[in-house]
C-alpha cells in the first residue's frame, strides 16, 4: 500500500475498494528465514515428493488438509526428531496467497538417513489458483527465529489446482486518518467475504501487529466480533514502522495486509541572512518532520497579492534537513516560504513565510 489508510464506509464500499497485500515480507511469516538465507542444506537429499490430491476446493475461512509424502534422507548423528517441510509456490491463478508450506512432516517409516516423511498441507481459499512443489527443508521452526543459513533444497515436484471461493478480504481504517507524530492511533480492522461484501458471521482470530512481527514470529492476537470487526490501539512508536493484519494458517499466513500510517507534512525553514544586496544567493535551511529522505521541497516566492511562484528546489536529506536557495530579485521585502509536496506517507505542507530584504 501507499501512505493512505483505507477507510471503512460500509460493507459494499469496502468490498469494492479495499486493497490486498500478500508479499514475501508480510505473508507467509513462517517463510521469512528461507527468503533471506543463501544455500540449500547439504545434509538433505530428496528422492520424491507426492501430494495426496491434484485438486481441491476451499471456501471462505476454511482449510482443506491434503496429504504430503516425502521420500528422502537427512544425514545427521543427532537424536532430535527430524521434521521436513515442503514449499509450494504459485504458478498460476488470481488468489492473493503467493506460496504455501506443508510443515513438520514426521518420519513415518524407514530411517532418518533413508525414510518416508508424511504430513499435511492445509490449503486456504486464498490459494485460489495453481501451486507447484519447489523445495524441501529440514527444521521444526519456520518463524525466522532459528537463524538458519540454509534454503529449501530445490525439487521439481507435483502441482495442485485450488478452487477458492468466498475468499476473505481485509479492510483497515486508521483513526485519525492522518496520525500526528508522537501520538497513539487506532486501527479498525474488518474481515469480510470478498464475494458478498458481508461478514462471515463468526468471530475471527487475527494478528494486528507491527514492525518485525509482520515478517517473522507470531504477532499480537485479537478476536473480531461476529461482524468481523476489531480494533487495536497502536502505540506512538508504531507509526514509524510497517503495520499489518495477518490471518494465520498452520505454517504460513493465509492472507495479510500491510500499511504505513499517513503523516502530516510539517516544514520549518529560515534564511541564513535576512538582508542582502539584490541578486545575492541566500541559503535557506530547514527540516521536514519524520525525515522523508529524498522527497522534494520547493522554495516559493510571493508574487502579487496571493500568487506563489517556485524559484528553487532541493531534496530532503536522510537527516530530515534540506537547503534551498533564495535570490532576492528587487529592493525591498521579498516574501518566501517552503512547500513540501506529498511524498510517501507524508502529506503536503508549507513552512511559515519569511522575509529577505533586498537592497
Amino acid at each position: 500500500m501507499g501512505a493512505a489508510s483505507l477507510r471503512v464506509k460500509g460493507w459494499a464500499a469496502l468490498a469494492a475498494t479495499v486493497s490486498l497485500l500478500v508479499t514475501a515480507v508480510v505473508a507467509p511469516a513462517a517463510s521469512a528465514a528461507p527468503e533471506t538465507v543463501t544455500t540449500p542444506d547439504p545434509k538433505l537429499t530428496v528422492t520424491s515428493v507426492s501430494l495426496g490430491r491434484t485438486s481441491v476446493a476451499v471456501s471462505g475461512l476454511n482449510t482443506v488438509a491434503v496429504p504430503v509424502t516425502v521420500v528422502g534422507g537427512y544425514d545427521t548423528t543427532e537424536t532430535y526428531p527430524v521434521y521436513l517441510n515442503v514449499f509450494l509456490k504459485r504458478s498460476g491463478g488470481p488468489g492473493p496467497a503467493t506460496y504455501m508450506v506443508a510443515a513438520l512432516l514426521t518420519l513415518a517409516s524407514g530411517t532418518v538417513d533413508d525414510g518416508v516423511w508424511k504430513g499435511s498441507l492445509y490449503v486456504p481459499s486464498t490459494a485460489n489458483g495453481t501451486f507447484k512443489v519447489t523445495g524441501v527443508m529440514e527444521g521444526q521452526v519456520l518463524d525466522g527465529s532459528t537463524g538458519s543459513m540454509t534454503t529449501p533444497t530445490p525439487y521439481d515436484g507435483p502441482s495442485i489446482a485450488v478452487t477458492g471461493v468466498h475468499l476473505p478480504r481485509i479492510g483497515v481504517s486508521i483513526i485519525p486518518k492522518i496520525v500526528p507524530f508522537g501520538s497513539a492511533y487506532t486501527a479498525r480492522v474488518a474481515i469480510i467475504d470478498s464475494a458478498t461484501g458481508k461478514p462471515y458471521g463468526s468471530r475471527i482470530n487475527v494478528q494486528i501487529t507491527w514492525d518485525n512481527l509482520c515478517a517473522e514470529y507470531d504477532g499480537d492476537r485479537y478476536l473480531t466480533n461476529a461482524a468481523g470487526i476489531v480494533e487495536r490501539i497502536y502505540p506512538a512508536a508504531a507509526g514509524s514502522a510497517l503495520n499489518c493484519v495477518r490471518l494465520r494458517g498452520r505454517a504460513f499466513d493465509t492472507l495479510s495486509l500491510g500499511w504505513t500510517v499517513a503523516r502530516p507534512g510539517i516544514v520549518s525553514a529560515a534564511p541564513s541572512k535576512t538582508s542582502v544586496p539584490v541578486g545575492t544567493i541566500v541559503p535557506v535551511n530547514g527540516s521536514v518532520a519524520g525525515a522523508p529522505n529524498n522527497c522534494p521541497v520547493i522554495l516559493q516566492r510571493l508574487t502579487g497579492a496571493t500568487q506563489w511562484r517556485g524559484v528553487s528546489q532541493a531534496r530532503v536529506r536522510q537527516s530530515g534537513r534540506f537547503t534551498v536557495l533564495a535570490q532576492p530579485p528587487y529592493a525591498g521585502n521579498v516574501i518566501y516560504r517552503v512547500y513540501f509536496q506529498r511524498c510517501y506517507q507524508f502529506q503536503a505542507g508549507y513552512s511559515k513565510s519569511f522575509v529577505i530584504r533586498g537592497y
Side-chain angles (χ1 to χ4, degrees):
M1 283 178 49
S5 58
L6 299 175
R7 301 295 297 171
V8 179
K9 299 180 180 178
W11 296 118
L14 178 59
T17 63
V18 72
S19 297
L20 294 174
L21 176 65
V22 180
T23 71
V25 173
V26 179
S31 297
E35 290 296 315
T36 59
V37 292
T38 57
T39 182
D41 192 336
K43 297 180 180 180
L44 178 62
T45 58
V46 181
T47 303
S48 68
V49 179
S50 59
L51 304 177
R53 301 176 65 170
T54 58
S55 63
V56 65
V58 194
S59 179
L61 300 171
N62 299 312
T63 59
V64 174
V66 174
V68 181
T69 301
V70 175
V71 178
Y74 194 71
D75 183 13
T76 181
T77 58
E78 301 290 342
T79 58
Y80 58 77
V82 173
Y83 299 95
L84 297 185
N85 307 280
V86 176
F87 293 79
L88 299 89
K89 291 186 178 180
R90 176 177 294 280
S91 59
T98 57
Y99 55 101
M100 299 188 289
V101 184
L104 303 181
L105 276 62
T106 57
L107 185 64
S109 61
T111 66
V112 172
D113 291 331
D114 185 12
V116 177
W117 279 261
K118 292 189 176 182
S120 295
L121 170 67
Y122 294 90
V123 181
S125 64
T126 53
N128 184 37
T130 304
F131 281 75
K132 179 179 176 58
V133 171
T134 58
V136 180
M137 188 170 70
E138 186 275 338
Q140 60 179 313
V141 179
L142 294 177
D143 64 2
S145 64
T146 64
S148 171
M149 294 302 293
T150 59
T151 58
T153 295
Y155 185 82
D156 186 10
S159 295
I160 183 169
V162 181
T163 301
V165 295
H166 293 282
L167 278 62
R169 179 172 291 181
I170 301 172
V172 178
S173 179
I174 302 302
I175 305 167
K177 185 177 181 180
I178 299 174
V179 180
F181 293 98
S183 296
Y185 55 96
T186 297
R188 186 171 190 260
V189 175
I191 310 295
I192 65 168
D193 180 337
S194 61
T196 66
K198 298 179 180 179
Y200 288 101
S202 60
R203 304 189 75 185
I204 303 168
N205 193 310
V206 300
Q207 295 185 14
I208 309 175
T209 189
W210 57 292
D211 203 27
N212 67 307
L213 294 180
C214 290
E216 57 186 17
Y217 309 98
D218 274 334
D220 306 306
R221 293 183 178 272
Y222 293 80
L223 196 64
T224 72
N225 60 21
I229 296 175
V230 64
E231 293 185 352
R232 176 186 178 166
I233 298 176
Y234 275 96
S240 60
L242 174 69
N243 296 180
C244 66
V245 176
R246 301 169 63 187
L247 292 181
R248 290 288 283 154
R250 296 291 186 98
F252 58 96
D253 289 356
T254 61
L255 184 65
S256 58
L257 179 68
W259 69 91
T260 53
V261 299
R263 291 296 203 184
I266 302 176
V267 188
S268 62
S272 59
K273 295 181 179 181
T274 58
S275 181
V276 295
V278 171
T280 301
I281 294 176
V282 180
V284 175
N285 299 305
S287 64
V288 181
N293 185 35
N294 207 39
C295 288
V297 288
I298 299 172
L299 179 67
Q300 296 180 328
R301 188 181 78 236
L302 182 64
T303 60
T306 60
Q307 297 297 312
W308 291 91
R309 174 187 175 189
V311 292
S312 72
Q313 181 170 321
R315 291 189 175 271
V316 179
R317 300 188 290 272
Q318 191 170 5
S319 64
R321 299 192 60 77
F322 61 83
T323 300
V324 287
L325 301 178
Q327 190 174 18
Y330 54 81
N333 291 337
V334 184
I335 301 175
Y336 293 94
R337 70 181 182 184
V338 174
Y339 169 52
F340 173 76
Q341 297 178 314
R342 182 174 178 177
C343 185
Y344 307 132
Q345 71 269 37
F346 299 89
Q347 309 305 296
Y350 298 92
S351 73
K352 293 181 179 180
S353 60
F354 54 90
V355 173
I356 300 176
R357 179 176 179 79
Y359 61 85

